[in-house]
Amino acid sequence: MDRTPKTAIRGMMLYVLALLVLGILAGAVYTIYGHPADPSEQPAAQTIPQKATAPQ
């Protein structure tokens, strides 16, 4: 078996790193601007109960 050139290994690692970064960015964008596919469904942020404030 021939040895794999170092440039090919670096290229594959760069490709995997780029996919990882794109996935993280896409997840962040969806988290900020995302909405449910069904318009009648409430966004997750509205379904999480808010902490009640203590009376003063």
Side-chain angles (χ1 to χ4, degrees):
M1 249 169 91
D2 294 335
R3 291 187 53 190
T4 305
K6 287 185 179 180
T7 53
I9 294 172
R10 285 188 192 127
M12 286 184 276
M13 290 178 69
L14 183 64
Y15 178 74
V16 169
L17 182 64
L19 285 178
L20 183 65
V21 169
L22 284 174
I24 291 171
L25 287 175
V29 168
Y30 182 78
T31 300
I32 294 169
Y33 300 108
H35 53 81
D38 183 2
S40 65
E41 185 179 338
Q42 288 184 333
Q46 292 179 357
T47 61
I48 299 170
Q50 299 298 317
K51 202 178 211 184
T53 56
Q56 296 177 353

